[in-house]
Amino acid sequence: MIKNIQAVRGMKDYLPTNTYIWQVIENILKKTLNSYGYKEIRLPIIEKISLYKRAIGNVTDIVEKEMYTFTDRNGDVLTLRPEGTAGCIRAGIEHGFLYNQEQRLWYMGPMFRHERPQKGRYRQFNQIGVEVFGLKGPDIDVELIMMNIRLWKELGISNHVRLEINSLGSLNSCNNYRNVLIKFLEKNKNVLDENCKNRMYINPMRILDSKNPIIKNLIHDAPKINDYLDDDSRIHFNKFCKLLNELDIRYKINPYLVRGLDYYNRTVIEWIADSLGSQSTICGGGRYDNLVKQLGGYCTPAIGFALGIERIVCLVEGVNPYFKATNTFNIDVYIIPYNEDAQLMAINLSEKLRDAMPQFKFVTNFGGGNLKKQIKRAVKWQASIIIILNTINLNEIIVKDLRNGKQQKISKSQIINLLHTLLK
Ligand code: HAM
C-alpha cells in the first residue's frame, strides 16, 4: 500500500472548523491596530540569510539552530523568515521610508523556526507584529502597551495575562553589565550546566532566562542589569514606569527579562498567560534603536512587538468558550430546488439575493436529492432559513424559518422584504 504523505512536523493545518474563529480574532486585531493609525505592510516570507545573521545576532538560538535556510537555483542562500522586524527594516531602508520620517506599521503572517514542537510552539506559526520608527521617547513605548491592553480587552482575555518589563540600557551599558555578569558566572562555574557553560562567554545574558531550577536559583544572586543602566536609559525607563503608573497599568519589573533576539536596547516587554503552560508568552517586543543603522540605514529610533496568534487563539478558546460558541460559521439561508428543473432558478435567485443582501450568507443546494435530504443538508449548515423553489408554480416560493418551524408561501417579488424581516 502507498504510504500517505503527512504534513511536515511542527506545521499545522488549520481546518475549516477552526478558521472562522481565526478570522474573527484576526479582524479584531486588525481593526484595533488600524484604530491607532497604524498601516499594514506586506513583506516577503523569504529573505537573504545575511539579513537575519546581521539583525538577530549570530549567537542567538534562532540564527544558530532554528532557521530554515536553503540555497536556491541561483546559488543564493535564503531563509524562511523567523520573525518580521528584520524584513520590515530591510524594506524601510530599500524604499527609503525610514529616513527622517515617522512610521507606524503592522504586518501579519507565518514565521518559521525549527524548534522542538510542543503545545504552543510550532515550526510554522503566525504573528501579528507592530513596528514604530522615528520616535524615541517613552510615550510611544506606553502607547504600545495601551494598544496591547485594548487588544486583550477586545478578545476578552484581560484577566488572564500579565505584563513584565525591563530595560537593557544602551549598547555600552549593556556591554559593561555583560562583563560583570561573566565575572559572576565564572565565580559560580561549578553550578552551571553544560548549556550555560557554552553560552557563558558567547551570550551570557541568555543564561538569565534559563529554565533550569538550579540556574534560576543562582541567577537570583546575580548582578541586575537595572543597576548598570546609563543615565539616559535610566531616565527613559523611569519615565516609562511613571507613565504606566499614572495610567494605572499593572506590571512587574523583571530584571532577568532579556529576550531571545540580540537587537534590543532599553525597554523590553513580555505579556504572559500562565494558563498556557510552558509556552506562555503571548507577546514580546521592545526598543531596537541601533538596528536600522546596523542594517545599513540612518540612525533611527524604533520599537515594536509581535504576538503569537496560535497562542492567542488557544487562550481565547480556553478562557472564553462563549467567544467560540458565538463565533461559529453558520449560514443564513439555504436554497433548495425542489426538482432538477428548478436548479437554474435556484442559482439565479441565490445571486439576486447576494446582490441585494450582501451582509448575509446564502448556500445553494447542489447534487440533487429529495426534499428531506436537502433539508437535512440545510440543518447541517446550521441555516436559519430555507427557501424551496418549485418549477410547477414558478412564482410561488416556500420560506421556512428553521429556528421556529414557521413556514409561509409567498410570491417571488416578496422574498427580499421577507428575508430582511426574518433575519434582522
Ligand atoms: P519573539 O518573542 O521571538 O519576538 O516572538 C513573538 C511572539 O511570537 C512570542 O511571544 C510568541 O507568542 C510567538 N512565537 C514565537 N515563537 C513561536 C513558535 N515557535 N510557535 C508559536 N508561537 C511562537 C519577535 O519575533 C520579535 N520580532 C518581536 C518584535 C517586534 N520586537 C520588536 N518588534
Side-chain angles (χ1 to χ4, degrees):
M1 210 165 85
I2 299 174
K3 210 175 156 211
N4 288 347
I5 298 170
Q6 308 221 310
V8 177
R9 193 163 126 81
M11 311 222 171
K12 286 198 344 164
D13 297 310
Y14 299 93
L15 302 180
T17 38
N18 284 325
T19 46
Y20 191 63
I21 190 91
W22 270 71
Q23 284 178 12
V24 172
I25 290 176
E26 282 171 5
N27 285 340
I28 291 176
L29 296 171
K30 286 183 199 168
K31 203 180 95 214
T32 307
L33 301 179
N34 288 335
S35 79
Y36 282 77
Y38 286 57
K39 295 181 200 151
E40 185 185 11
I41 181 164
R42 296 193 185 193
L43 300 158
I45 285 172
I46 298 174
E47 298 272 0
K48 293 182 182 148
I49 188 176
S50 45
L51 176 69
Y52 299 114
K53 284 193 167 175
R54 221 196 283 176
I56 298 173
N58 264 327
V59 289
T60 54
D61 280 351
I62 295 182
V63 170
E64 268 189 337
K65 305 184 225 159
E66 295 170 4
M67 294 204 305
Y68 280 90
T69 298
F70 61 97
T71 307
D72 78 355
R73 286 164 199 271
N74 302 332
D76 292 329
V77 186
L78 306 174
T79 298
L80 292 183
R81 63 181 184 194
E83 58 102 56
T85 310
C88 193
I89 299 175
R90 195 266 312 134
I93 297 170
E94 195 168 326
H95 300 284
F97 63 69
L98 297 183
Y99 177 58
N100 238 347
Q101 293 182 52
E102 192 189 304
Q103 294 292 350
R104 303 176 193 208
L105 307 171
W106 66 266
Y107 51 83
M108 185 175 76
M111 309 291 161
F112 303 83
R113 294 183 194 174
H114 196 278
E115 295 186 83
R116 195 171 49 78
Q118 65 178 98
K119 184 170 172 266
R121 188 164 70 192
Y122 309 104
R123 290 181 174 173
Q124 176 176 334
F125 59 97
N126 290 274
Q127 282 187 346
I128 280 207
V130 160
E131 313 292 353
V132 177
F133 298 97
L135 293 170
K136 61 174 189 284
D139 43 1
I140 187 68
D141 305 20
V142 171
E143 176 169 273
L144 295 192
I145 301 291
M146 297 300 283
M147 187 189 267
N148 289 144
I149 290 173
R150 186 175 292 274
L151 290 171
W152 313 150
K153 199 171 131 207
E154 296 282 332
L155 295 168
I157 55 174
S158 306
N159 294 334
H160 304 271
V161 293
R162 58 186 176 83
L163 172 64
E164 291 194 351
I165 61 169
N166 195 19
S167 176
L168 303 182
S170 66
L171 221 57
N172 257 345
S173 70
C174 197
N175 273 340
N176 290 341
Y177 171 69
R178 204 173 162 270
N179 292 336
V180 177
L181 182 63
I182 291 174
K183 283 209 177 90
F184 170 84
L185 294 170
E186 278 172 341
K187 264 197 227 147
N188 294 282
K189 210 171 173 179
N190 54 332
V191 188
L192 299 182
D193 58 23
E194 269 321 295
N195 191 18
C196 292
K197 276 183 195 154
N198 290 338
R199 281 176 160 172
M200 194 165 98
Y201 295 105
I202 309 168
N203 199 351
M205 308 255 294
R206 291 300 295 167
I207 297 178
L208 295 177
D209 62 8
S210 166
K211 299 271 185 294
N212 178 340
I214 298 168
I215 308 295
K216 266 185 162 175
N217 218 10
L218 172 72
I219 291 307
H220 264 294
D221 300 327
K224 299 194 174 35
I225 194 162
N226 318 64
D227 297 328
Y228 293 84
L229 296 183
D230 56 297
D231 287 346
D232 285 349
S233 297
R234 193 190 319 282
I235 292 168
H236 186 103
F237 193 55
N238 288 344
K239 269 196 194 155
F240 175 54
C241 294
K242 188 165 175 270
L243 283 167
L244 292 179
N245 293 336
E246 282 166 358
L247 288 160
D248 265 340
I249 296 167
R250 289 179 63 183
Y251 62 90
K252 181 182 146 195
I253 299 176
N254 174 357
Y256 310 117
L257 177 64
V258 288
R259 310 269 306 127
L261 307 102
D262 270 2
Y263 48 62
Y264 293 109
N265 68 303
R266 292 197 177 163
T267 315
V268 285
I269 65 132
E270 276 187 1
W271 284 93
I272 296 146
D274 294 303
S275 63
L276 288 181
S278 67
Q279 301 306 313
S280 58
T281 308
I282 57 162
C283 173
R287 282 210 156 262
Y288 47 94
D289 297 323
N290 306 306
L291 188 56
V292 177
K293 186 148 187 243
Q294 207 173 300
L295 292 178
Y298 291 93
C299 198
T300 308
I303 181 166
F305 67 77
L307 49 88
I309 308 184
E310 280 77 3
R311 294 183 193 178
I312 299 273
V313 171
C314 184
L315 183 62
V316 170
E317 288 181 352
V319 304
N320 199 352
Y322 177 76
F323 192 96
K324 183 161 190 186
T326 50
N327 286 300
T328 47
F329 187 96
N330 53 345
I331 61 155
D332 299 294
V333 181
Y334 193 82
I335 297 155
I336 295 178
Y338 185 71
N339 50 27
E340 219 181 306
D341 295 341
Q343 188 71 58
L344 185 63
M345 250 169 81
I347 294 174
N348 274 326
L349 180 68
S350 310
E351 290 304 316
K352 207 170 132 195
L353 293 176
R354 287 186 192 106
D355 284 342
M357 308 169 78
Q359 69 274 39
F360 296 115
K361 299 187 205 97
F362 300 91
V363 170
T364 316
N365 186 83
F366 292 108
N370 61 27
L371 187 59
K372 203 169 152 201
K373 214 169 181 181
Q374 296 199 49
I375 293 176
K376 254 189 173 173
R377 288 184 197 141
V379 171
K380 210 167 165 200
W381 274 97
Q382 295 180 292
S384 303
I385 287 166
I386 53 172
I387 295 177
I388 303 168
L389 300 174
N390 190 346
T391 38
I392 298 171
N393 187 346
L394 287 180
N395 203 29
E396 196 178 79
I397 291 180
I398 296 174
V399 177
K400 184 168 180 172
D401 192 327
L402 291 179
R403 297 164 299 183
N404 56 21
K406 278 192 191 151
Q407 182 168 313
Q408 43 192 311
K409 264 189 201 152
I410 55 158
S411 75
K412 235 177 170 180
S413 59
Q414 293 173 294
I415 185 70
I416 291 172
N417 277 346
L418 178 63
L419 287 181
H420 268 304
T421 316
L422 293 176
L423 291 171
K424 76 170 178 258

